[in-house]
């Protein structure tokens, strides 16, 4: 399976603001896990008057670290890349303390409606309470003292995922859409593989020089890395088609073969990733299901 060159070297420096580039600091929340790596990155953009990007989970230690780093500075905007609970909940508390306006693509929503009998497996991970004061359309720019951020809508990981381009700096805050340490989770109904691939193509066309992600270290060679992510996803798609061609009909069968070197504890997430690819393949007329695509459906080539 083709993969980009993932970079697992990262020092989270919990509780401290770490300069990343001129005018940008990173504070990493201590919420490590299989989906968050060492934790969620919050970014502070600007000098005397700043924006905060992805304030993070409702965590006291992380909140205090943010408050300490922001001491003596005005916070005018709080940007949220998407509404998973490791990114957006602290926005409410930080807003109450600073009076900043919250900014994002919009409230949480699934990429498609739930089908009859379907349960959203990531519903508990979603921050349904977050509603931004400013709902950004694509390409909208907000500015402050010495900084300007433009929305680059990148649905896929979630339907309301947005990246933020730092104008004049060739830098993109890529949230969970592109991360140096791992591929992004795309899990229906919250996520959509067709949307994810379209968003990936959009970033490839932009040609940003540096990506600052929601978890892990910066992506310093975006062009090659994005090409690697695309190759990885296309390789996964080919593997699914090969398993169906070999006689697999259920997603559980495909997962055991395709993810044979993966910890079985992660098979649930792997099955959702396969489902995301399958939904895209069904929509494109490559395969057919015995009803709506689902984890329980059976599949065949067309």
């Amino acid at each position: 399976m083709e993969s980009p060159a993932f970079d697992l070297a990262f020092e989270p420096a919990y509780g401290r603001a770490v300069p990343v580039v001129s005018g940008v600091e990173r504070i990493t929340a201590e919420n490590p896990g299989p989906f968050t790596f060492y934790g969620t990155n919050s970014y502070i953009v600007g000098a005397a008057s700043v924006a905060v990007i992805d304030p993070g989970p409702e965590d006291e230690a992380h909140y205090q670290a943010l408050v300490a780093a922001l001491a003596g500075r005005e916070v005018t905007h709080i940007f949220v890349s998407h509404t998973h609970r490791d990114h957006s909940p602290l926005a409410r508390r930080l807003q109450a303390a600073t009076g900043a306006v919250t900014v994002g693509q919009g409230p949480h929503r699934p990429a498609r409606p739930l089908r009859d009998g379907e349960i959203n497996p990531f519903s508990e991970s979603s921050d349904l309470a977050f509603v931004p004061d400013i709902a950004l359309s694509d390409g909208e720019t907000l500015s402050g003292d010495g900084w300007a951020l433009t929305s680059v809508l990148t649905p896929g990981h979630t339907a309301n995922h947005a990246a933020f381009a730092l104008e004049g700096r060739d830098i993109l805050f890529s949230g969970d859409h592109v991360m140096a340490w791992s591929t992004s989770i795309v899990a229906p109904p919250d996520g959509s593989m067709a949307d994810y691939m379209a968003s990936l193509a959009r970033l490839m066309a932009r040609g940003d020089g540096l990506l600052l992600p929601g978890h892990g270290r910066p992506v310093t060679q975006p062009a090659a890395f994005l090409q690697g992510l695309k190759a990885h996803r296309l390789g996964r798609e080919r593997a699914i088609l090969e398993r169906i061609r070999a006689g697999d009909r259920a997603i559980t069968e495909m997962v055991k073969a395709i993810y044979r070197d993966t910890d079985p504890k992660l098979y649930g997430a792997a099955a959702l990733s396969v489902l995301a690819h399958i939904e895209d393949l069904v929509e494109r007329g490559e395969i057919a299901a015995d009803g709506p695509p689902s984890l329980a459906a059976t599949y065949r080539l067309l």
Side-chain angles (χ1 to χ4, degrees), residues 139-161:
E140 189 171 351
T141 301
L142 296 176
S143 59
D145 181 17
W147 59 265
L149 290 165
T150 298
S151 61
V152 181
L153 301 192
T154 48
H157 176 63
T158 60
N160 68 345
H161 195 286

Side-chain angles (χ1 to χ4, degrees), residues 12 15-18 25-29 40-44 62 65-66 69:
R16 292 194 293 111
V18 177
E25 301 162 76
R26 180 187 66 226
I27 304 177
T28 303
T40 303
N41 292 332
S42 299
Y43 293 97
I44 300 171
H62 188 55
L66 279 171

Side-chain angles (χ1 to χ4, degrees), residues 3-276:
S3 292
F6 293 124
D7 190 345
L8 302 182
F10 182 67
E11 171 50 60
Y14 298 128
R16 292 194 293 111
V18 177
V20 182
V21 294
S22 175
V24 178
E25 301 162 76
R26 180 187 66 226
I27 304 177
T28 303
E30 193 169 357
N31 60 327
F35 302 127
T36 57
F37 196 36
Y38 282 93
T40 303
N41 292 332
S42 299
Y43 293 97
I44 300 171
V45 183
S49 178
V50 304
V52 174
I53 298 176
D54 281 346
E58 183 53 66
D59 178 87
E60 181 64 25
H62 188 55
Y63 174 72
Q64 293 300 333
L66 279 171
V67 168
L70 293 167
R73 297 192 275 184
E74 179 189 21
V75 182
T76 59
H77 297 76
I78 301 169
F79 288 77
V80 169
S81 66
H82 65 294
T83 44
H84 278 158
R85 289 186 180 274
D86 58 320
H87 287 262
S88 57
L90 206 57
R92 291 181 283 279
R93 192 171 173 189
L94 191 61
Q95 180 181 46
T98 64
V101 295
T102 57
V103 182
Q105 193 277 326
H108 193 83
R109 66 182 189 278
R112 60 162 174 77
L114 267 68
R115 301 189 174 106
D116 290 344
E118 184 179 22
I119 297 173
N120 185 346
F122 281 92
S123 59
E124 293 186 0
S125 302
S126 304
D127 182 6
L128 303 179
F130 178 79
V131 179
D133 297 322
I134 300 175
L136 291 173
S137 57
D138 191 47
E140 189 171 351
T141 301
L142 296 176
S143 59
D145 181 17
W147 59 265
L149 290 165
T150 298
S151 61
V152 181
L153 301 192
T154 48
H157 176 63
T158 60
N160 68 345
H161 195 286
F164 305 109
L166 185 56
E167 292 299 322
R169 299 289 301 279
D170 201 22
I171 293 171
L172 184 78
F173 296 91
S174 56
D176 281 8
H177 182 59
V178 177
M179 302 174 289
W181 76 283
S182 176
T183 57
S184 177
I185 295 171
V186 181
D190 264 18
S192 161
M193 189 59 69
D195 288 347
Y196 175 84
M197 294 300 286
S199 294
L200 200 61
R202 183 177 189 198
L203 292 200
M204 292 173 74
R206 282 180 54 84
D208 295 291
L210 183 70
L211 306 184
L212 300 181
H215 307 274
R217 68 184 305 163
V219 178
T220 57
Q221 297 182 333
F225 192 78
L226 291 169
Q227 186 59 50
L229 285 178
K230 178 181 178 180
H232 175 80
R233 293 295 185 178
L234 293 177
R236 186 73 74 206
E237 181 180 288
R238 288 194 299 272
I240 291 168
L241 292 172
E242 288 169 4
R243 292 314 309 166
I244 297 175
R245 191 173 295 113
D248 289 355
R249 293 292 174 261
I251 287 178
T252 52
E253 297 173 309
M254 300 178 209
V255 167
K256 289 178 181 178
I258 297 171
Y259 293 86
R260 57 185 173 273
D261 297 326
T262 300
D263 186 341
K265 293 179 182 178
L266 299 177
Y267 277 4
L272 289 167
S273 179
V274 170
L275 176 60

